[in-house]
Amino acid sequence: MFFNAARAAFFGFVILLVAGFLSVQAQANSYSLNGALKQGGLIYGTVTPGSQVQLDKTTVKVSKDGLFLLGFGRLAEPQSQLLITYPDGQQANETLQIEKQDYKISRIDGLPKTKVTPNPEATKRIIADNTAVKEARLKVSDETFFASGFDWPAKGRISGVFGSQRILNGKPRSPHKGVDIAAPVGTLITASADGVISLKHEDMYLMGKTVMIDHGFGLQSIYIHMNEILVKEGQKVKKGDPVGKIGQSGRATGPHLHWGVSLKNVALDPLLLLK
């Protein structure tokens, strides 16, 4: 009788121990999403370390600490499917509802004809410039500089917003992929978040003096139309560090900074990254 009672007590203890372990496992399996679930939005995600994340069946990079990023383009679909597979094999599946944005129409007249309809020589330069930017955006480092958060890169008047349809000299062109900040020539431009300078170019045909910052995981910011560049390629910068000065280089009707942010090849709305 004593043996049977002892054995029953032992197995009862084991069952409780296993149940408690599974309970802890279930509690440990979690994720969180912070940011703007809307077109042009960026989501900062955290998940149980060692988990796998997919968005619409595409694998998402996850840091060893469980950080990941999700980006939604200008015309993102109203729904997106998030699938998380935890280290123990359990899964979480969520349908994300993506809010639609209404975009303005931006008309800019008085631009030099060669800046709107470039000649063959200028077209070659534009293609080369765009290729350099695309190659920089393909860099997907393991750094998580983006954890610093984003801040304004310059002080000035907002003269252009993300997503607006551009009508240049009466001709439709590609939508605006950033935010324009108008300010006097020489106004300081600072890094909007921690990162590494991934591209520096002194004379792009349309963009003028241009700098890009790699914030990790394929998240990049770009600073266009500068009057002066104050950084070197490969240089590490902290949020708020000087990177250049506002100008009117490239295709610009007045001194301003074009500030853009992208996750790999997906252009995002910089204003949605600000607190």
Side-chain angles (χ1 to χ4, degrees):
M1 289 291 292
F2 174 77
F3 175 77
N4 289 337
R7 184 170 63 178
F10 172 75
F11 282 114
F13 171 75
V14 170
I15 291 172
L16 287 173
L17 186 64
V18 171
F21 174 75
L22 292 176
S23 175
V24 171
Q25 282 284 92
Q27 293 175 10
N29 287 339
S30 63
Y31 70 93
S32 66
L33 304 176
N34 294 285
L37 273 173
K38 59 181 1 181
Q39 291 175 332
L42 177 71
I43 296 296
Y44 296 88
T46 59
V47 70
T48 305
S51 301
Q52 296 179 354
V53 177
Q54 287 187 325
L55 183 68
D56 297 325
K57 298 183 180 180
T58 298
T59 300
V60 175
K61 187 176 181 64
V62 182
S63 76
K64 63 180 180 180
D65 299 322
L67 302 179
F68 63 93
L69 298 172
L70 305 177
F72 301 96
R74 177 180 181 272
L75 298 178
E77 296 294 329
Q79 292 185 338
S80 199
Q81 203 65 34
L82 179 68
L83 175 64
I84 294 176
T85 303
Y86 295 111
D88 62 3
Q90 294 188 56
Q91 291 186 324
N93 201 327
E94 181 180 354
T95 299
L96 304 179
Q97 304 296 330
I98 312 304
E99 183 181 341
K100 186 178 185 298
Q101 286 217 67
D102 292 323
Y103 299 110
K104 299 180 179 180
I105 295 179
S106 176
R107 299 181 185 277
I108 302 176
D109 296 315
L111 290 169
K113 183 178 179 180
T114 55
K115 296 292 185 178
V116 179
T117 308
N119 58 38
E121 186 65 27
T123 299
K124 289 181 181 179
R125 284 186 59 189
I126 293 170
I127 292 173
D129 294 343
N130 290 341
T131 298
V133 171
K134 288 178 181 178
E135 288 178 351
R137 284 178 175 156
L138 289 176
K139 298 174 183 177
V140 183
S141 70
D142 294 330
E143 302 289 352
T144 55
F145 295 123
F146 55 81
S148 68
F150 282 78
D151 202 352
W152 288 99
K155 294 181 180 179
R157 175 178 60 86
I158 301 302
S159 58
V161 295
F162 172 84
S164 57
Q165 176 64 56
R166 312 301 294 274
I167 308 295
L168 306 181
N169 289 357
K171 297 181 180 181
R173 289 294 185 264
S174 60
H176 196 224
K177 295 181 180 179
V179 171
D180 290 340
I181 304 172
V185 172
T187 300
L188 189 66
I189 300 168
T190 58
S192 55
D194 294 358
V196 175
I197 305 301
S198 56
L199 181 145
K200 170 192 173 182
H201 200 297
E202 292 286 350
D203 185 25
M204 288 190 167
Y205 186 78
L206 296 178
M207 294 178 277
K209 295 182 185 295
T210 300
V211 164
M212 291 180 67
I213 302 178
D214 177 7
H215 304 291
F217 277 39
L219 187 66
Q220 302 249 1
S221 58
I222 189 167
Y223 310 78
I224 295 173
H225 305 309
M226 291 184 179
N227 180 61
E228 184 180 356
I229 297 175
L230 303 176
V231 290
K232 298 179 180 179
E233 201 162 305
Q235 178 181 334
K236 285 188 177 182
V237 292
K238 302 289 288 184
K239 180 168 62 176
D241 284 351
V243 297
K245 296 181 180 179
I246 283 181
Q248 194 177 336
S249 58
R251 184 173 69 187
T253 56
H256 73 280
L257 167 68
H258 170 99
W259 172 39
V261 180
S262 61
L263 183 60
K264 296 181 182 177
N265 62 344
V266 178
L268 306 174
D269 185 348
L271 294 183
L272 296 179
L273 276 65
L274 300 171
K275 294 183 179 179

